[in-house]
Structures are given as structure tokens and as C-alpha cells.
Amino acid sequence: AQTVTQSQPEMSVQEAETVTLSCTYDTSESDYYLFWYKQPPSRQMILVIRQEAYKQQNATENRFSVNFQKAAKSFSLKISDSQLGDAAMYFCAYALSGYALNFGKGTSLLVTP
Amino acid sequence: NAGVTQTPKFQVLKTGQSMTLQCAQDMNHEYMSWYRQDPGMGLRLIHYSVGAGITDQGEVPNGYNVSRSTTEDFPLRLLSAAPSQTSVYFCASSYQGTIYNSPLHFGNGTRLTVT
């Protein structure tokens, strides 16, 4: 079974600064998909960014970008110019096929003024 | 456009009681799934369905039943609730195809407490 590891249970960043959340995964597949989801206190699951394993270029969505290192099986999320609204639980997730995700245990991000 | 609707939002049960968590989507999605979220555990897949009449087990299926009689609905049944089933439950749906091109749409969750 594929496993997803988020080694940072909690992280803190000051407003306007940059923070990187770590994620590693274990798989023997060559083509798969990786995601970062944000869960604010409202409990809603919000897709932040996604990456296809066969694409070398790192995905970017506005202030959010990833550092995808396929050989190292690493998929970190960088949040630039952090805002108070970025405070949330962040989950890294792996998918092999079309309907289900394997999630990491999450990283709680605190944003301080 | 309602998306994925879960009811109820909160529920308290006594050990041994049964109940059904409802999930409905209005996007004509083929795939639907149930996850549970426990503190420090992330989300874990309980059951999933790739279409009406087809269901299968996920990572943690014990104690739960599902059925998929229509494309829109995917209820999750607890036949005899146990304290270990205290959790937040999420329903999700997506189009058929790669999960990259049709990411999961999540409901807002049901917080279940079993005493």
C-alpha cells in the first residue's frame, strides 16, 4: 500500500513570510498524482494544488507552489506571502487511480500577524 | 449548484444504535466515496463506488455498509455504533477518469459521537 508521510505536525509562519510544508510518499509506480488539500476550521476540504508525476515542471497556483522531487519521492508545498487566511490543516495526498486518495496525517499551519 | 450534500452535520449516538449518514451529489458524478477523519490520522477511505450498483471496500470498512442504488446518492450505514466510530465523516465525488482531471469534491462532513 502506498503511504504518505507528513513529518511536521505543526508549523508556524509570520504574515507575509514564506513557509514550506514537507511531504514524502512511498510507491513503486511510475505514474501517479499528488495533491495538497487545505482544511480550515470550517472542515471544508479545499484543493490547493495538484501534480502529475510524469510532468517534470513543478505546479504553481498563485502563492502556492510545489517542489516535486520524483526520485526522492518528495512533494513539498511552498506558501509565499503568507496570509492570515492560510491558517489551516494541510494534507498531502497520493492517488494512483481515478477515485480515491491516500492522505497524510496533516500539518497544522499557524499564521501570526 | 449544491455540489456534495451531507446530512446530518452533527450526530450523537449511543453504543449499539444504528443510523445512516446521507450523501447526495447533483453533479452526475460516477465516483463516490466515504472517508473518516480522526485526530492525527488524516482521512482514511471507508467504502467507494464507481457507479450505481457497484461498491467496494476501502482501507477501514469494518462496521460500515454502503449501497448505491442511484447515481446521486451514496448512504453510509452504521449497523451497531461503537465508540471507535466517533469521527468526522466525509463524502466525496468525482467524474470518471483520472483523478487529476476530475478532482474530488468533498461534502462539509458529519461529526459523529458515539457514547
Side-chain angles (χ1 to χ4, degrees), chain A residues 33 35 37 39 42-45 47 50-52 55 91 95 97-106, chain B residues 9-10 31 35 37 40 42-43 45 48 50 88 90 94 97-100 103-104 106 108-111:
Chain A
Y33 309 97
F35 303 83
Y37 276 87
Q39 187 182 43
S42 66
R43 274 198 330 233
Q44 188 180 8
M45 293 292 288
L47 177 63
R50 47 187 160 169
Q51 174 86 39
E52 292 186 81
K55 287 187 175 179
F91 292 98
S97 60
Y99 47 79
L101 295 170
N102 286 342
F103 285 89
K105 294 183 178 181
Chain B
K9 289 185 170 56
F10 302 93
Y31 295 149
Y35 293 82
Q37 182 180 17
L43 279 76
L45 183 65
Y48 64 92
V50 298
V88 178
F90 286 94
S94 65
T98 68
I99 200 166
Y100 179 86
L104 294 183
F106 283 88
N108 287 333
T110 295
R111 180 177 292 279

Side-chain angles (χ1 to χ4, degrees), chain B:
Chain B
N1 198 352
V4 179
T5 302
Q6 288 185 239
T7 55
K9 289 185 170 56
F10 302 93
Q11 183 71 49
V12 179
L13 289 178
K14 294 188 187 304
T15 297
Q17 286 185 316
S18 63
M19 79 158 296
T20 300
L21 306 185
Q22 302 290 346
C23 176
Q25 52 90 10
D26 61 358
M27 298 171 283
N28 204 30
H29 286 171
E30 295 87 354
Y31 295 149
M32 295 187 75
S33 51
W34 278 101
Y35 293 82
R36 61 176 287 173
Q37 182 180 17
D38 301 298
M41 294 294 294
L43 279 76
R44 292 180 292 169
L45 183 65
I46 304 171
H47 284 285
Y48 64 92
S49 169
V50 298
I54 306 169
T55 64
D56 208 343
Q57 297 180 349
E59 180 186 356
V60 288
N62 292 341
Y64 308 95
N65 281 349
V66 292
S67 59
R68 185 95 180 270
S69 57
T70 67
T71 300
E72 295 77 19
D73 300 298
F74 190 44
L76 178 72
R77 297 184 187 86
L78 285 71
L79 298 179
S80 179
S84 61
Q85 294 178 304
T86 293
S87 188
V88 178
Y89 291 84
F90 286 94
C91 180
S93 71
S94 65
Y95 285 113
Q96 190 176 22
T98 68
I99 200 166
Y100 179 86
N101 292 322
S102 51
L104 294 183
H105 294 251
F106 283 88
N108 287 333
T110 295
R111 180 177 292 279
L112 175 67
T113 302
V114 183
T115 61

